[in-house]
Amino acid sequence: MLNQPKEFWNARAQNYDLTSGEVYAEAYDKTAEHCFHYLKQSDQVLEFACGTGLITFRIAPRVSHIHGIDISPKMVEAAQKKVQAQGAANVEITNTGLFDSCLKPESFDVLAAFNVLLYLPDLPAALTRIRELLKPNGVFLSATDCLGSRPSRAGFQKLIKSRTGAMPYTAFFTQRGLERKIARNGFAILERENLFPNPPNLFVAAQKV
């Protein structure tokens, strides 16, 4: 069933770079550029829901190691092919969930989650786990469509699809609402900026406190 996250993203994997990757190319570029301000060459990074690696490989040259995880085997396969093609020795991509026990607490300097927070039915639990995985004073970087901020065609389509079971759960955050959720779960907001006109795509940099 496509309303199950793994099956939904598996079905999108083959054409993902030609659809979302091209439509939101400018937003992806802006996301990476904003991330650069918070990355150090010594950083160990975990990217949650890395997909096909559209941002992973932009970040990789700026850090020591980046481990991309995704629940979709086909997304992971596509990203792993890029690792091989690009010879990206400091990039690791695995078919792993956020709560997998192989991910140890306080193991990462930076945890990134791009375009996934709105698809999480229990965002507070995910934010608690993200905070757990970060080292003291670690940084959480995210970019998220805030479909509740203003009406948009994309938002309306996702509303219908998520309510009819054609796609997984989708949240309709406002920008301020999402920022408050992150802050209430153990983070200090360092930066917030909208990267896309409509639907708004909110970039947030936050530090573990």
Side-chain angles (χ1 to χ4, degrees):
M1 297 176 62
L2 289 184
N3 63 342
Q4 299 302 310
K6 181 168 71 173
E7 286 71 20
F8 178 80
W9 295 110
N10 272 343
R12 295 200 61 192
Q14 183 175 358
N15 297 315
Y16 192 74
D17 288 2
L18 297 176
T19 53
S20 294
E22 290 190 357
V23 173
Y24 297 108
E26 184 177 353
Y28 282 121
D29 287 340
K30 288 181 179 179
T31 298
E33 289 168 5
H34 278 70
C35 289
F36 294 161
H37 300 293
Y38 301 95
L39 300 174
K40 302 186 299 296
Q41 200 64 55
S42 61
D43 281 343
Q44 298 289 320
V45 179
L46 179 69
E47 184 184 356
F48 166 44
C50 65
T52 62
L54 288 172
I55 298 179
T56 314
F57 296 96
R58 290 171 164 89
I59 289 176
R62 305 278 181 142
V63 302
S64 176
H65 184 266
I66 182 165
H67 181 183
I69 62 172
D70 203 285
I71 62 168
S72 163
K74 292 190 180 298
M75 289 282 193
V76 167
E77 182 181 356
Q80 288 174 338
K81 288 179 179 177
K82 293 180 184 179
V83 172
Q84 295 174 357
Q86 298 182 26
N90 69 329
V91 178
E92 176 186 6
I93 307 291
T94 62
N95 185 198
T96 305
L98 181 65
F99 292 89
D100 195 295
S101 61
C102 72
L103 302 174
K104 303 302 181 184
E106 298 191 354
S107 294
F108 302 97
D109 301 287
V110 177
L111 198 150
F114 305 120
N115 306 306
V116 65
L117 298 186
L118 74 164
Y119 300 119
L120 303 179
D122 192 347
L123 180 58
L127 290 170
T128 297
R129 175 61 168 162
I130 288 167
R131 187 178 182 280
E132 177 185 57
L133 293 173
L134 283 168
K135 296 177 182 179
N137 300 314
V139 173
F140 174 45
L141 303 174
S142 66
T144 310
D145 280 351
C146 293
L147 302 174
S149 291
R150 65 175 70 99
S152 68
R153 181 178 179 182
F156 179 74
Q157 290 174 338
K158 288 182 179 181
L159 175 65
I160 298 300
K161 288 180 178 180
S162 64
R163 297 300 186 268
T164 59
M167 70 178 296
Y169 168 88
T170 304
F172 284 74
F173 303 125
T174 63
Q175 295 180 67
R176 290 295 182 187
L178 177 59
E179 183 181 348
R180 285 195 294 268
K181 287 179 184 295
I182 294 172
R184 288 171 181 167
N185 282 276
F187 292 94
I189 305 300
L190 303 175
E191 179 186 357
R192 64 181 303 278
E193 183 171 339
N194 180 26
L195 305 180
F196 198 76
N198 202 26
N201 186 258
L202 182 66
F203 173 84
V204 175
Q207 188 170 44
K208 175 179 175 177
V209 295

